[in-house]
Amino acid sequence: MDYYLNEYSLRGQFESVEDFFESLRSYTFPVLKKVNERKENIIWKKDTLWQSEICKGVSLTKIPQKKNERSGELARLKIQLIKLTYEPPFYSNEGVSNIEIKEYKFDTEYREKFDTRNCFTNAIENEGRVISFLHPAYECTQLPVNVNFENSEYEYCIENIYTPEWWNCEPEIKTWRTCQKYLIEVRAKEFDYHPPHFHVSKNEFAAVFKLNNGELYREGKKKWTLHMINEIKEWYEENKCELQETWNNLHNS
């Protein structure tokens, strides 16, 4: 699954660098650790994340070194932070989306400054989740939006994770492994405007296939080969009844 680090949840809200590191220790890094437990999960970051402000006058890449600083734990936190900031994959403001956000129903203080393409639009378009740093505007598990898609308007809530406690109420996902390399998922929480479908991922490859015929519906960032698509189609033909039953059970239809 794709996860998107919320660039708007880090904008100088901390009183000090120490407060920021405490939030990493108690909230953000445990969340990232949980996400990274599954190798198919990918954490995307905006390509300008390194410019984000922690507290007044201090950005992610300009954290001052204190005199006689010898804490091994603090050094490890800084290494993790550098890795998070500079390790790909990244996304930018470029590209065109067929999804338009008509209204953000959260972060009233800052939402007028959101870029057209951002972590929220990416999460909606790719059916992913958002990971937020600790911020008063994002201490919630759902981010409601009004979305315009193909001239129709929909209401949707983006899943927002800021604490490891989120997994205590994670929406149900049924999974399969096939060909010793693909992870296949049917998810309980989906966008209403998509037809019934299942998700397939393999390392950096991700795609969505239609449930009624097993055809490729949408690809992720990397293009799938015909051989890969055919492998999924073969698996689909053998398991389509179970897939349909699972979808019906998860979606109460």
Side-chain angles (χ1 to χ4, degrees), residues 6-11 13 103-114 118-120 132-133 135-140 142-145 160:
N6 180 0
E7 62 265 31
Y8 303 110
S9 64
L10 191 59
R11 54 180 195 250
Q13 71 266 29
E103 182 183 5
Y104 293 96
K105 297 184 175 182
F106 57 90
D107 201 351
T108 55
E109 175 189 355
Y110 205 80
R111 62 189 178 190
E112 296 300 324
K113 300 178 183 179
F114 290 171
N118 53 50
C119 60
F120 312 119
S132 294
F133 291 97
H135 188 289
Y138 295 99
E139 292 181 20
C140 53
Q142 304 284 332
L143 303 174
V145 293
N160 178 56

PDB file of all heavy atoms in Angstrom, residues 6-11 13 103-114 118-120 132-133 135-140 142-145 160:
ATOM      1  N   ASN A   6       2.599  13.570   5.307  1.00  0.00           N
ATOM      2  CA  ASN A   6       1.856  14.827   5.230  1.00  0.00           C
ATOM      3  C   ASN A   6       2.792  16.021   5.392  1.00  0.00           C
ATOM      4  O   ASN A   6       3.232  16.338   6.499  1.00  0.00           O
ATOM      5  CB  ASN A   6       0.774  14.825   6.310  1.00  0.00           C
ATOM      6  CG  ASN A   6      -0.059  16.088   6.317  1.00  0.00           C
ATOM      7  OD1 ASN A   6       0.147  16.997   5.528  1.00  0.00           O
ATOM      8  ND2 ASN A   6      -1.012  16.140   7.236  1.00  0.00           N
ATOM      9  N   GLU A   7       3.075  16.692   4.280  1.00  0.00           N
ATOM     10  CA  GLU A   7       3.995  17.833   4.305  1.00  0.00           C
ATOM     11  C   GLU A   7       3.426  19.032   5.058  1.00  0.00           C
ATOM     12  O   GLU A   7       4.175  19.910   5.501  1.00  0.00           O
ATOM     13  CB  GLU A   7       4.360  18.262   2.878  1.00  0.00           C
ATOM     14  CG  GLU A   7       3.206  18.744   2.020  1.00  0.00           C
ATOM     15  CD  GLU A   7       2.603  17.654   1.148  1.00  0.00           C
ATOM     16  OE1 GLU A   7       2.631  16.482   1.574  1.00  0.00           O
ATOM     17  OE2 GLU A   7       2.104  17.972   0.056  1.00  0.00           O
ATOM     18  N   TYR A   8       2.105  19.073   5.236  1.00  0.00           N
ATOM     19  CA  TYR A   8       1.482  20.207   5.917  1.00  0.00           C
ATOM     20  C   TYR A   8       1.391  20.007   7.430  1.00  0.00           C
ATOM     21  O   TYR A   8       0.962  20.908   8.151  1.00  0.00           O
ATOM     22  CB  TYR A   8       0.087  20.456   5.340  1.00  0.00           C
ATOM     23  CG  TYR A   8       0.121  20.699   3.857  1.00  0.00           C
ATOM     24  CD1 TYR A   8      -0.390  19.758   2.967  1.00  0.00           C
ATOM     25  CD2 TYR A   8       0.701  21.849   3.331  1.00  0.00           C
ATOM     26  CE1 TYR A   8      -0.340  19.964   1.593  1.00  0.00           C
ATOM     27  CE2 TYR A   8       0.762  22.065   1.963  1.00  0.00           C
ATOM     28  CZ  TYR A   8       0.241  21.119   1.100  1.00  0.00           C
ATOM     29  OH  TYR A   8       0.308  21.324  -0.254  1.00  0.00           O
ATOM     30  N   SER A   9       1.784  18.839   7.893  1.00  0.00           N
ATOM     31  CA  SER A   9       1.736  18.572   9.335  1.00  0.00           C
ATOM     32  C   SER A   9       3.051  18.924  10.026  1.00  0.00           C
ATOM     33  O   SER A   9       3.199  18.709  11.228  1.00  0.00           O
ATOM     34  CB  SER A   9       1.400  17.096   9.587  1.00  0.00           C
ATOM     35  OG  SER A   9       2.420  16.246   9.084  1.00  0.00           O
ATOM     36  N   LEU A  10       3.995  19.473   9.270  1.00  0.00           N
ATOM     37  CA  LEU A  10       5.261  19.918   9.852  1.00  0.00           C
ATOM     38  C   LEU A  10       5.520  21.328   9.342  1.00  0.00           C
ATOM     39  O   LEU A  10       6.028  21.533   8.243  1.00  0.00           O
ATOM     40  CB  LEU A  10       6.400  18.978   9.448  1.00  0.00           C
ATOM     41  CG  LEU A  10       7.732  19.175  10.186  1.00  0.00           C
ATOM     42  CD1 LEU A  10       7.550  19.002  11.686  1.00  0.00           C
ATOM     43  CD2 LEU A  10       8.782  18.205   9.674  1.00  0.00           C
ATOM     44  N   ARG A  11       5.133  22.303  10.141  1.00  0.00           N
ATOM     45  CA  ARG A  11       5.258  23.696   9.717  1.00  0.00           C
ATOM     46  C   ARG A  11       5.587  24.620  10.897  1.00  0.00           C
ATOM     47  O   ARG A  11       4.991  25.673  11.077  1.00  0.00           O
ATOM     48  CB  ARG A  11       3.993  24.150   8.991  1.00  0.00           C
ATOM     49  CG  ARG A  11       2.675  23.954   9.721  1.00  0.00           C
ATOM     50  CD  ARG A  11       1.526  24.471   8.845  1.00  0.00           C
ATOM     51  NE  ARG A  11       0.280  24.659   9.538  1.00  0.00           N
ATOM     52  CZ  ARG A  11      -0.802  23.908   9.378  1.00  0.00           C
ATOM     53  NH1 ARG A  11      -0.772  22.881   8.551  1.00  0.00           N
ATOM     54  NH2 ARG A  11      -1.914  24.184  10.038  1.00  0.00           N
ATOM     55  N   GLN A  13       5.407  23.982  14.260  1.00  0.00           N
ATOM     56  CA  GLN A  13       4.483  23.995  15.401  1.00  0.00           C
ATOM     57  C   GLN A  13       5.134  23.647  16.735  1.00  0.00           C
ATOM     58  O   GLN A  13       4.523  23.846  17.792  1.00  0.00           O
ATOM     59  CB  GLN A  13       3.320  23.021  15.153  1.00  0.00           C
ATOM     60  CG  GLN A  13       3.684  21.533  15.202  1.00  0.00           C
ATOM     61  CD  GLN A  13       3.994  20.975  13.832  1.00  0.00           C
ATOM     62  OE1 GLN A  13       4.451  21.691  12.951  1.00  0.00           O
ATOM     63  NE2 GLN A  13       3.733  19.696  13.635  1.00  0.00           N
ATOM     64  N   GLU A 103     -13.473  20.496  -1.770  1.00  0.00           N
ATOM     65  CA  GLU A 103     -13.417  21.108  -0.440  1.00  0.00           C
ATOM     66  C   GLU A 103     -12.639  20.222   0.521  1.00  0.00           C
ATOM     67  O   GLU A 103     -12.884  19.019   0.609  1.00  0.00           O
ATOM     68  CB  GLU A 103     -14.825  21.330   0.116  1.00  0.00           C
ATOM     69  CG  GLU A 103     -14.836  22.014   1.476  1.00  0.00           C
ATOM     70  CD  GLU A 103     -16.229  22.165   2.053  1.00  0.00           C
ATOM     71  OE1 GLU A 103     -17.186  21.645   1.431  1.00  0.00           O
ATOM     72  OE2 GLU A 103     -16.370  22.790   3.116  1.00  0.00           O
ATOM     73  N   TYR A 104     -11.672  20.827   1.207  1.00  0.00           N
ATOM     74  CA  TYR A 104     -10.997  20.165   2.322  1.00  0.00           C
ATOM     75  C   TYR A 104     -11.755  20.543   3.594  1.00  0.00           C
ATOM     76  O   TYR A 104     -11.905  21.726   3.899  1.00  0.00           O
ATOM     77  CB  TYR A 104      -9.551  20.636   2.437  1.00  0.00           C
ATOM     78  CG  TYR A 104      -8.653  20.231   1.294  1.00  0.00           C
ATOM     79  CD1 TYR A 104      -8.401  21.101   0.234  1.00  0.00           C
ATOM     80  CD2 TYR A 104      -8.041  18.980   1.282  1.00  0.00           C
ATOM     81  CE1 TYR A 104      -7.563  20.736  -0.809  1.00  0.00           C
ATOM     82  CE2 TYR A 104      -7.201  18.604   0.238  1.00  0.00           C
ATOM     83  CZ  TYR A 104      -6.964  19.490  -0.803  1.00  0.00           C
ATOM     84  OH  TYR A 104      -6.133  19.127  -1.841  1.00  0.00           O
ATOM     85  N   LYS A 105     -12.193  19.563   4.340  1.00  0.00           N
ATOM     86  CA  LYS A 105     -12.977  19.834   5.543  1.00  0.00           C
ATOM     87  C   LYS A 105     -12.138  19.670   6.807  1.00  0.00           C
ATOM     88  O   LYS A 105     -12.636  19.225   7.841  1.00  0.00           O
ATOM     89  CB  LYS A 105     -14.197  18.913   5.580  1.00  0.00           C
ATOM     90  CG  LYS A 105     -15.165  19.148   4.425  1.00  0.00           C
ATOM     91  CD  LYS A 105     -16.401  18.279   4.555  1.00  0.00           C
ATOM     92  CE  LYS A 105     -17.415  18.590   3.468  1.00  0.00           C
ATOM     93  NZ  LYS A 105     -18.645  17.776   3.599  1.00  0.00           N
ATOM     94  N   PHE A 106     -10.873  20.032   6.717  1.00  0.00           N
ATOM     95  CA  PHE A 106      -9.968  19.950   7.859  1.00  0.00           C
ATOM     96  C   PHE A 106      -8.889  21.013   7.691  1.00  0.00           C
ATOM     97  O   PHE A 106      -8.772  21.635   6.632  1.00  0.00           O
ATOM     98  CB  PHE A 106      -9.341  18.548   7.958  1.00  0.00           C
ATOM     99  CG  PHE A 106      -8.590  18.125   6.719  1.00  0.00           C
ATOM    100  CD1 PHE A 106      -7.240  18.405   6.571  1.00  0.00           C
ATOM    101  CD2 PHE A 106      -9.236  17.457   5.691  1.00  0.00           C
ATOM    102  CE1 PHE A 106      -6.549  18.035   5.429  1.00  0.00           C
ATOM    103  CE2 PHE A 106      -8.556  17.074   4.542  1.00  0.00           C
ATOM    104  CZ  PHE A 106      -7.208  17.366   4.413  1.00  0.00           C
ATOM    105  N   ASP A 107      -8.100  21.226   8.726  1.00  0.00           N
ATOM    106  CA  ASP A 107      -7.007  22.206   8.718  1.00  0.00           C
ATOM    107  C   ASP A 107      -7.479  23.556   8.169  1.00  0.00           C
ATOM    108  O   ASP A 107      -6.934  24.087   7.195  1.00  0.00           O
ATOM    109  CB  ASP A 107      -5.817  21.692   7.910  1.00  0.00           C
ATOM    110  CG  ASP A 107      -4.511  22.407   8.282  1.00  0.00           C
ATOM    111  OD1 ASP A 107      -4.572  23.404   9.038  1.00  0.00           O
ATOM    112  OD2 ASP A 107      -3.444  21.972   7.810  1.00  0.00           O
ATOM    113  N   THR A 108      -8.492  24.116   8.804  1.00  0.00           N
ATOM    114  CA  THR A 108      -9.075  25.372   8.333  1.00  0.00           C
ATOM    115  C   THR A 108      -8.065  26.519   8.320  1.00  0.00           C
ATOM    116  O   THR A 108      -8.190  27.453   7.531  1.00  0.00           O
ATOM    117  CB  THR A 108     -10.261  25.766   9.226  1.00  0.00           C
ATOM    118  OG1 THR A 108      -9.830  25.822  10.597  1.00  0.00           O
ATOM    119  CG2 THR A 108     -11.384  24.745   9.097  1.00  0.00           C
ATOM    120  N   GLU A 109      -7.057  26.447   9.163  1.00  0.00           N
ATOM    121  CA  GLU A 109      -6.058  27.513   9.238  1.00  0.00           C
ATOM    122  C   GLU A 109      -5.182  27.571   7.991  1.00  0.00           C
ATOM    123  O   GLU A 109      -4.751  28.648   7.569  1.00  0.00           O
ATOM    124  CB  GLU A 109      -5.176  27.302  10.473  1.00  0.00           C
ATOM    125  CG  GLU A 109      -4.023  28.293  10.589  1.00  0.00           C
ATOM    126  CD  GLU A 109      -3.056  27.928  11.695  1.00  0.00           C
ATOM    127  OE1 GLU A 109      -3.327  26.965  12.439  1.00  0.00           O
ATOM    128  OE2 GLU A 109      -2.020  28.602  11.815  1.00  0.00           O
ATOM    129  N   TYR A 110      -4.942  26.408   7.371  1.00  0.00           N
ATOM    130  CA  TYR A 110      -3.906  26.348   6.333  1.00  0.00           C
ATOM    131  C   TYR A 110      -4.399  25.823   4.991  1.00  0.00           C
ATOM    132  O   TYR A 110      -3.694  25.904   3.996  1.00  0.00           O
ATOM    133  CB  TYR A 110      -2.764  25.455   6.846  1.00  0.00           C
ATOM    134  CG  TYR A 110      -1.418  25.739   6.222  1.00  0.00           C
ATOM    135  CD1 TYR A 110      -0.639  26.797   6.670  1.00  0.00           C
ATOM    136  CD2 TYR A 110      -0.922  24.935   5.198  1.00  0.00           C
ATOM    137  CE1 TYR A 110       0.601  27.057   6.113  1.00  0.00           C
ATOM    138  CE2 TYR A 110       0.325  25.187   4.631  1.00  0.00           C
ATOM    139  CZ  TYR A 110       1.078  26.247   5.095  1.00  0.00           C
ATOM    140  OH  TYR A 110       2.301  26.504   4.533  1.00  0.00           O
ATOM    141  N   ARG A 111      -5.614  25.299   4.901  1.00  0.00           N
ATOM    142  CA  ARG A 111      -6.037  24.566   3.703  1.00  0.00           C
ATOM    143  C   ARG A 111      -6.056  25.404   2.432  1.00  0.00           C
ATOM    144  O   ARG A 111      -5.923  24.862   1.334  1.00  0.00           O
ATOM    145  CB  ARG A 111      -7.407  23.938   3.940  1.00  0.00           C
ATOM    146  CG  ARG A 111      -8.531  24.926   4.212  1.00  0.00           C
ATOM    147  CD  ARG A 111      -9.786  24.204   4.657  1.00  0.00           C
ATOM    148  NE  ARG A 111     -10.873  25.124   4.963  1.00  0.00           N
ATOM    149  CZ  ARG A 111     -12.003  24.756   5.557  1.00  0.00           C
ATOM    150  NH1 ARG A 111     -12.182  23.490   5.907  1.00  0.00           N
ATOM    151  NH2 ARG A 111     -12.950  25.651   5.805  1.00  0.00           N
ATOM    152  N   GLU A 112      -6.211  26.721   2.557  1.00  0.00           N
ATOM    153  CA  GLU A 112      -6.196  27.570   1.367  1.00  0.00           C
ATOM    154  C   GLU A 112      -4.812  27.620   0.724  1.00  0.00           C
ATOM    155  O   GLU A 112      -4.674  28.022  -0.435  1.00  0.00           O
ATOM    156  CB  GLU A 112      -6.652  28.989   1.726  1.00  0.00           C
ATOM    157  CG  GLU A 112      -8.087  29.081   2.217  1.00  0.00           C
ATOM    158  CD  GLU A 112      -9.091  28.595   1.184  1.00  0.00           C
ATOM    159  OE1 GLU A 112      -8.853  28.821  -0.023  1.00  0.00           O
ATOM    160  OE2 GLU A 112     -10.104  27.980   1.580  1.00  0.00           O
ATOM    161  N   LYS A 113      -3.797  27.187   1.458  1.00  0.00           N
ATOM    162  CA  LYS A 113      -2.427  27.208   0.941  1.00  0.00           C
ATOM    163  C   LYS A 113      -2.004  25.865   0.351  1.00  0.00           C
ATOM    164  O   LYS A 113      -0.872  25.732  -0.124  1.00  0.00           O
ATOM    165  CB  LYS A 113      -1.459  27.608   2.061  1.00  0.00           C
ATOM    166  CG  LYS A 113      -1.736  28.984   2.656  1.00  0.00           C
ATOM    167  CD  LYS A 113      -0.760  29.290   3.783  1.00  0.00           C
ATOM    168  CE  LYS A 113      -1.085  30.632   4.432  1.00  0.00           C
ATOM    169  NZ  LYS A 113      -0.159  30.940   5.564  1.00  0.00           N
ATOM    170  N   PHE A 114      -2.881  24.875   0.381  1.00  0.00           N
ATOM    171  CA  PHE A 114      -2.531  23.563  -0.161  1.00  0.00           C
ATOM    172  C   PHE A 114      -2.242  23.666  -1.655  1.00  0.00           C
ATOM    173  O   PHE A 114      -2.961  24.341  -2.399  1.00  0.00           O
ATOM    174  CB  PHE A 114      -3.673  22.562   0.041  1.00  0.00           C
ATOM    175  CG  PHE A 114      -3.897  22.135   1.466  1.00  0.00           C
ATOM    176  CD1 PHE A 114      -5.015  21.382   1.792  1.00  0.00           C
ATOM    177  CD2 PHE A 114      -3.016  22.475   2.472  1.00  0.00           C
ATOM    178  CE1 PHE A 114      -5.247  20.972   3.096  1.00  0.00           C
ATOM    179  CE2 PHE A 114      -3.235  22.081   3.784  1.00  0.00           C
ATOM    180  CZ  PHE A 114      -4.354  21.325   4.095  1.00  0.00           C
ATOM    181  N   ASN A 118      -0.941  17.215  -3.893  1.00  0.00           N
ATOM    182  CA  ASN A 118      -0.322  17.131  -2.576  1.00  0.00           C
ATOM    183  C   ASN A 118      -0.480  15.719  -2.028  1.00  0.00           C
ATOM    184  O   ASN A 118      -0.923  14.805  -2.738  1.00  0.00           O
ATOM    185  CB  ASN A 118      -0.944  18.169  -1.635  1.00  0.00           C
ATOM    186  CG  ASN A 118      -2.460  18.060  -1.586  1.00  0.00           C
ATOM    187  OD1 ASN A 118      -3.008  16.972  -1.392  1.00  0.00           O
ATOM    188  ND2 ASN A 118      -3.159  19.181  -1.775  1.00  0.00           N
ATOM    189  N   CYS A 119      -0.123  15.528  -0.768  1.00  0.00           N
ATOM    190  CA  CYS A 119      -0.213  14.193  -0.174  1.00  0.00           C
ATOM    191  C   CYS A 119      -1.650  13.679  -0.160  1.00  0.00           C
ATOM    192  O   CYS A 119      -1.893  12.472  -0.311  1.00  0.00           O
ATOM    193  CB  CYS A 119       0.366  14.207   1.242  1.00  0.00           C
ATOM    194  SG  CYS A 119      -0.465  15.335   2.396  1.00  0.00           S
ATOM    195  N   PHE A 120      -2.609  14.575  -0.018  1.00  0.00           N
ATOM    196  CA  PHE A 120      -4.012  14.160   0.063  1.00  0.00           C
ATOM    197  C   PHE A 120      -4.543  13.714  -1.303  1.00  0.00           C
ATOM    198  O   PHE A 120      -5.220  12.687  -1.407  1.00  0.00           O
ATOM    199  CB  PHE A 120      -4.864  15.300   0.622  1.00  0.00           C
ATOM    200  CG  PHE A 120      -4.296  15.920   1.864  1.00  0.00           C
ATOM    201  CD1 PHE A 120      -3.950  17.266   1.897  1.00  0.00           C
ATOM    202  CD2 PHE A 120      -4.072  15.163   3.004  1.00  0.00           C
ATOM    203  CE1 PHE A 120      -3.410  17.843   3.024  1.00  0.00           C
ATOM    204  CE2 PHE A 120      -3.531  15.730   4.156  1.00  0.00           C
ATOM    205  CZ  PHE A 120      -3.197  17.076   4.157  1.00  0.00           C
ATOM    206  N   SER A 132       0.878  11.596   9.315  1.00  0.00           N
ATOM    207  CA  SER A 132       1.089  12.974   9.756  1.00  0.00           C
ATOM    208  C   SER A 132       2.039  13.039  10.944  1.00  0.00           C
ATOM    209  O   SER A 132       2.026  12.166  11.817  1.00  0.00           O
ATOM    210  CB  SER A 132      -0.242  13.623  10.153  1.00  0.00           C
ATOM    211  OG  SER A 132      -1.092  13.780   9.038  1.00  0.00           O
ATOM    212  N   PHE A 133       2.858  14.090  10.952  1.00  0.00           N
ATOM    213  CA  PHE A 133       3.600  14.420  12.159  1.00  0.00           C
ATOM    214  C   PHE A 133       2.592  14.912  13.200  1.00  0.00           C
ATOM    215  O   PHE A 133       1.447  15.245  12.866  1.00  0.00           O
ATOM    216  CB  PHE A 133       4.629  15.518  11.869  1.00  0.00           C
ATOM    217  CG  PHE A 133       5.778  15.085  11.002  1.00  0.00           C
ATOM    218  CD1 PHE A 133       5.760  15.322   9.634  1.00  0.00           C
ATOM    219  CD2 PHE A 133       6.873  14.436  11.548  1.00  0.00           C
ATOM    220  CE1 PHE A 133       6.815  14.927   8.827  1.00  0.00           C
ATOM    221  CE2 PHE A 133       7.937  14.034  10.755  1.00  0.00           C
ATOM    222  CZ  PHE A 133       7.908  14.279   9.386  1.00  0.00           C
ATOM    223  N   HIS A 135       0.552  17.178  15.068  1.00  0.00           N
ATOM    224  CA  HIS A 135       0.104  18.553  14.841  1.00  0.00           C
ATOM    225  C   HIS A 135      -1.360  18.630  15.257  1.00  0.00           C
ATOM    226  O   HIS A 135      -2.143  17.725  14.942  1.00  0.00           O
ATOM    227  CB  HIS A 135       0.263  18.928  13.365  1.00  0.00           C
ATOM    228  CG  HIS A 135       0.008  20.371  13.070  1.00  0.00           C
ATOM    229  ND1 HIS A 135      -1.253  20.934  13.123  1.00  0.00           N
ATOM    230  CD2 HIS A 135       0.853  21.376  12.716  1.00  0.00           C
ATOM    231  CE1 HIS A 135      -1.171  22.218  12.820  1.00  0.00           C
ATOM    232  NE2 HIS A 135       0.091  22.511  12.568  1.00  0.00           N
ATOM    233  N   PRO A 136      -1.769  19.702  15.953  1.00  0.00           N
ATOM    234  CA  PRO A 136      -3.163  19.788  16.416  1.00  0.00           C
ATOM    235  C   PRO A 136      -4.200  19.602  15.314  1.00  0.00           C
ATOM    236  O   PRO A 136      -5.274  19.036  15.560  1.00  0.00           O
ATOM    237  CB  PRO A 136      -3.241  21.201  17.016  1.00  0.00           C
ATOM    238  CG  PRO A 136      -1.844  21.504  17.441  1.00  0.00           C
ATOM    239  CD  PRO A 136      -0.955  20.840  16.429  1.00  0.00           C
ATOM    240  N   ALA A 137      -3.894  20.047  14.098  1.00  0.00           N
ATOM    241  CA  ALA A 137      -4.860  19.940  13.002  1.00  0.00           C
ATOM    242  C   ALA A 137      -4.990  18.521  12.470  1.00  0.00           C
ATOM    243  O   ALA A 137      -5.936  18.219  11.733  1.00  0.00           O
ATOM    244  CB  ALA A 137      -4.464  20.879  11.862  1.00  0.00           C
ATOM    245  N   TYR A 138      -4.036  17.650  12.851  1.00  0.00           N
ATOM    246  CA  TYR A 138      -4.025  16.297  12.288  1.00  0.00           C
ATOM    247  C   TYR A 138      -4.047  15.211  13.360  1.00  0.00           C
ATOM    248  O   TYR A 138      -3.654  14.080  13.101  1.00  0.00           O
ATOM    249  CB  TYR A 138      -2.812  16.137  11.365  1.00  0.00           C
ATOM    250  CG  TYR A 138      -2.916  17.037  10.156  1.00  0.00           C
ATOM    251  CD1 TYR A 138      -2.243  18.258  10.119  1.00  0.00           C
ATOM    252  CD2 TYR A 138      -3.727  16.696   9.083  1.00  0.00           C
ATOM    253  CE1 TYR A 138      -2.362  19.105   9.026  1.00  0.00           C
ATOM    254  CE2 TYR A 138      -3.856  17.537   7.987  1.00  0.00           C
ATOM    255  CZ  TYR A 138      -3.172  18.739   7.967  1.00  0.00           C
ATOM    256  OH  TYR A 138      -3.308  19.575   6.883  1.00  0.00           O
ATOM    257  N   GLU A 139      -4.519  15.557  14.542  1.00  0.00           N
ATOM    258  CA  GLU A 139      -4.690  14.554  15.586  1.00  0.00           C
ATOM    259  C   GLU A 139      -6.070  13.927  15.444  1.00  0.00           C
ATOM    260  O   GLU A 139      -6.935  14.025  16.321  1.00  0.00           O
ATOM    261  CB  GLU A 139      -4.479  15.180  16.964  1.00  0.00           C
ATOM    262  CG  GLU A 139      -3.033  15.600  17.200  1.00  0.00           C
ATOM    263  CD  GLU A 139      -2.811  16.208  18.570  1.00  0.00           C
ATOM    264  OE1 GLU A 139      -3.657  15.971  19.462  1.00  0.00           O
ATOM    265  OE2 GLU A 139      -1.809  16.924  18.747  1.00  0.00           O
ATOM    266  N   CYS A 140      -6.278  13.286  14.299  1.00  0.00           N
ATOM    267  CA  CYS A 140      -7.547  12.646  13.967  1.00  0.00           C
ATOM    268  C   CYS A 140      -7.242  11.498  13.013  1.00  0.00           C
ATOM    269  O   CYS A 140      -6.200  11.477  12.362  1.00  0.00           O
ATOM    270  CB  CYS A 140      -8.512  13.640  13.322  1.00  0.00           C
ATOM    271  SG  CYS A 140      -7.812  14.516  11.912  1.00  0.00           S
ATOM    272  N   GLN A 142      -9.396  10.481  10.497  1.00  0.00           N
ATOM    273  CA  GLN A 142     -10.068  10.665   9.214  1.00  0.00           C
ATOM    274  C   GLN A 142      -9.958  12.124   8.783  1.00  0.00           C
ATOM    275  O   GLN A 142     -10.159  13.030   9.594  1.00  0.00           O
ATOM    276  CB  GLN A 142     -11.547  10.272   9.315  1.00  0.00           C
ATOM    277  CG  GLN A 142     -11.800   8.857   9.803  1.00  0.00           C
ATOM    278  CD  GLN A 142     -11.535   7.818   8.732  1.00  0.00           C
ATOM    279  OE1 GLN A 142     -11.664   8.081   7.546  1.00  0.00           O
ATOM    280  NE2 GLN A 142     -11.171   6.616   9.152  1.00  0.00           N
ATOM    281  N   LEU A 143      -9.672  12.327   7.487  1.00  0.00           N
ATOM    282  CA  LEU A 143      -9.602  13.671   6.920  1.00  0.00           C
ATOM    283  C   LEU A 143     -10.688  13.786   5.847  1.00  0.00           C
ATOM    284  O   LEU A 143     -10.518  13.294   4.729  1.00  0.00           O
ATOM    285  CB  LEU A 143      -8.215  13.923   6.312  1.00  0.00           C
ATOM    286  CG  LEU A 143      -7.022  13.762   7.264  1.00  0.00           C
ATOM    287  CD1 LEU A 143      -5.708  13.901   6.501  1.00  0.00           C
ATOM    288  CD2 LEU A 143      -7.091  14.771   8.404  1.00  0.00           C
ATOM    289  N   PRO A 144     -11.820  14.426   6.149  1.00  0.00           N
ATOM    290  CA  PRO A 144     -12.942  14.473   5.203  1.00  0.00           C
ATOM    291  C   PRO A 144     -12.714  15.461   4.062  1.00  0.00           C
ATOM    292  O   PRO A 144     -12.203  16.566   4.266  1.00  0.00           O
ATOM    293  CB  PRO A 144     -14.123  14.903   6.081  1.00  0.00           C
ATOM    294  CG  PRO A 144     -13.496  15.653   7.214  1.00  0.00           C
ATOM    295  CD  PRO A 144     -12.152  15.029   7.452  1.00  0.00           C
ATOM    296  N   VAL A 145     -13.099  15.051   2.860  1.00  0.00           N
ATOM    297  CA  VAL A 145     -12.981  15.893   1.669  1.00  0.00           C
ATOM    298  C   VAL A 145     -14.202  15.682   0.778  1.00  0.00           C
ATOM    299  O   VAL A 145     -14.868  14.649   0.843  1.00  0.00           O
ATOM    300  CB  VAL A 145     -11.707  15.567   0.853  1.00  0.00           C
ATOM    301  CG1 VAL A 145     -10.451  15.933   1.613  1.00  0.00           C
ATOM    302  CG2 VAL A 145     -11.682  14.095   0.456  1.00  0.00           C
ATOM    303  N   ASN A 160      -5.894   8.854   8.069  1.00  0.00           N
ATOM    304  CA  ASN A 160      -4.762   9.634   8.562  1.00  0.00           C
ATOM    305  C   ASN A 160      -4.171   8.949   9.792  1.00  0.00           C
ATOM    306  O   ASN A 160      -4.873   8.674  10.763  1.00  0.00           O
ATOM    307  CB  ASN A 160      -5.216  11.049   8.928  1.00  0.00           C
ATOM    308  CG  ASN A 160      -4.084  11.880   9.497  1.00  0.00           C
ATOM    309  OD1 ASN A 160      -3.049  12.047   8.866  1.00  0.00           O
ATOM    310  ND2 ASN A 160      -4.274  12.406  10.700  1.00  0.00           N
TER     311      ASN A 160
END
